[in-house]
Amino acid sequence: MEFAVRAFIIYLFLLVLFRLTGKRMLSELSTFDFILLLIIGEATQNALVGDDKSLTAGMAVILTLVMLEVAMSYLKKRFKSVEKTMEGAPVMLVDRGKVIEEHLTKTHVSRDDILQAARQHRGIERMDQIKYAMLETSGGISIIPAASAIETLIEDRIEAALARRAAREAGH
């Protein structure tokens, strides 16, 4: 029973810790972050089983952690408030080419992070080419490109042609 209690406490501790450190920490691991995660794993293992290295202790810890994860998954599906608390919500970082500084500070995302995502996924080089940038709950940054001048012109002409046609049809 002690192993289940230890696993429960460590599970909650890690859940809160990673929720407080932000989404970006887990989405893109640097070499140091990876090493830190390995150290955390070793420390977690020691905290979970203590001096008992038996097969039974390991199985009890694994079972407890898996059952906690299944329970959390069920709670997240059943109660949206639990999901929002656990996973968070997407955060808008750029709105029509304008960076929302307050959100960058809150989420620990830099302008360089946004531009890197824009270059990698959309071939975008400047903020003014971004219509929206969202920090997703997974920690990734989604980029919606701004329409180019030619696309805007084409859309305007299509809308005008459709409006003329609708006016002609309404007049008949």
Side-chain angles (χ1 to χ4, degrees):
M1 186 64 170
E2 176 188 352
F3 299 116
V5 173
R6 284 173 173 252
F8 180 76
I9 292 169
I10 293 297
Y11 182 89
L12 290 179
F13 172 75
L14 290 173
L15 180 73
V16 170
L17 177 68
F18 286 117
R19 183 71 178 101
L20 292 176
T21 57
K23 301 168 193 166
R24 293 291 292 168
M25 182 178 174
L26 295 176
S27 71
E28 296 178 7
L29 294 177
S30 68
T31 303
F32 179 75
D33 293 334
F34 179 69
I35 291 168
L36 183 61
L37 199 54
L38 290 174
I39 293 168
I40 289 171
E42 180 66 23
T44 301
Q45 185 267 335
N46 291 336
L48 289 172
V49 296
D51 293 333
D52 189 345
K53 307 286 189 210
S54 69
L55 184 62
T56 307
M59 289 175 19
V61 167
I62 291 167
L63 180 63
T64 302
L65 292 173
V66 169
M67 294 311 292
L68 283 169
E69 188 58 28
V70 168
M72 284 299 189
S73 178
Y74 172 77
L75 289 173
K76 286 190 288 189
K77 284 183 180 178
R78 181 100 163 89
F79 304 103
K80 291 299 177 189
S81 60
V82 172
E83 181 179 25
K84 186 173 181 178
T85 300
M86 300 281 293
E87 303 292 330
V91 177
M92 185 176 291
L93 303 172
V94 176
D95 184 10
R96 287 173 242 137
K98 304 289 187 231
V99 176
I100 304 171
E101 294 292 339
E102 175 183 324
H103 294 180
L104 292 187
T105 303
K106 179 179 146 192
T107 59
H108 308 289
V109 175
S110 70
R111 288 172 176 263
D112 289 338
D113 292 333
I114 297 169
L115 288 173
Q116 179 182 7
R119 285 189 304 272
Q120 288 177 337
H121 302 292
R122 297 291 184 169
I124 294 173
E125 299 173 346
R126 299 182 323 269
M127 283 294 177
D128 64 347
Q129 295 173 308
I130 299 173
K131 184 173 185 179
Y132 302 111
M134 300 289 291
L135 177 61
E136 302 295 347
T137 57
S138 65
I141 298 175
S142 295
I143 303 292
I144 299 170
S148 67
I150 190 74
E151 289 172 330
T152 303
L153 178 64
I154 291 170
E155 287 174 4
D156 289 346
R157 288 189 177 182
I158 291 171
E159 286 178 16
L162 290 172
R164 285 192 303 272
R165 182 176 179 164
R168 278 195 309 259
E169 290 177 357
H172 288 115

